[in-house]
């Protein structure tokens, strides 16, 4: 995956990245982007590459699920596809924040089991070790935390909004 990181850096420098602008500072990667269906896959690949670079493959499945869910929600519900994503790896957990310009908070609810939509946030909340939404002056931050296996709280989830 180092080749993807190098490719991302070159595309960003040339202004060709489908994700917009991104940068990596130590164990934090962030990108400002216009969310598109194709761009979500690109962001997932970039996040996966960073998790592997930081030796955090243990957090990969839940982190990638959460990234897909939050970016899809921006695309479908935020009214504008402009967003920012930040992924930070620490010794005990991986933190992800997706910021958008919509002031409405997402609703986490029980969806019909046969429905194709509406279950993603509930699933993320159940799988992550922390999940929440914070109002910002320009919209909101939706965040989640994935703890290292040995650092997980009994019963799975931690924190709320």
């Amino acid at each position: 995956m180092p080749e993807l990181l190098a490719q991302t850096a070159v595309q960003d420098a040339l202004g060709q990245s489908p994700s917009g602008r991104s940068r990596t500072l130590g164990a934090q990667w962030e990108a400002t982007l216009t969310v598109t269906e194709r761009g979500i896959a690109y962001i997932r690949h970039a996040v996966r590459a960073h998790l592997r670079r930081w030796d955090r493959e243990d957090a990969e499945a839940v982190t990638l699920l959460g990234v897909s869910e939050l970016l899809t929600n921006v695309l479908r519900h935020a009214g504008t596809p402009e967003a920012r994503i930040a992924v930070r790896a620490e010794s005990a957990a991986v933190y992800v924040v997706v910021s958008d310009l919509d002031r409405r908070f997402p609703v986490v609810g029980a969806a019909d089991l046969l429905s194709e939509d509406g279950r993603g946030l509930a699933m993320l909340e159940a799988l992550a070790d922390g999940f929440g939404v914070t109002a910002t002056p320009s919209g909101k931050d939706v965040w989640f935390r994935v703890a290292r296996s040995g650092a997980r709280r009994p019963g799975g989830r931690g924190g709320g909004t």
Side-chain angles (χ1 to χ4, degrees), residues 4 22-23 35 77 93 98 101-102 109 117 136 142 151 154:
L4 180 61
S22 71
R23 66 182 182 161
V35 181
H77 305 294
V98 172
L101 301 174
D102 187 359
D117 295 319
T136 66
V142 183

Side-chain angles (χ1 to χ4, degrees), residues 19-105:
S19 65
R21 297 182 323 248
S22 71
R23 66 182 182 161
T24 303
L25 299 169
Q28 179 163 321
W29 177 75
E30 55 190 50
T32 302
L33 59 141
T34 301
V35 181
T36 63
E37 291 283 342
R38 183 176 176 189
I40 292 171
Y42 177 86
I43 294 299
R44 284 175 49 92
H45 288 296
V47 170
R48 179 183 291 118
H50 282 84
L51 291 172
R52 290 177 180 182
R53 176 181 179 193
W54 300 327
D55 193 29
R56 290 307 311 269
E57 291 93 342
D58 61 298
E60 193 172 297
V62 175
T63 301
L64 296 179
L65 170 82
V67 165
S68 294
E69 178 61 27
L70 297 186
L71 292 177
T72 298
N73 283 352
V74 169
L75 191 59
R76 291 185 180 170
H77 305 294
T80 177
E82 306 308 314
R84 182 177 170 279
I85 183 171
V87 181
R88 185 178 77 242
E90 294 185 358
S91 60
V94 170
Y95 297 87
V96 176
V97 179
V98 172
S99 306
D100 66 45
L101 301 174
D102 187 359
R103 295 182 189 276
R104 296 172 296 160
F105 278 30

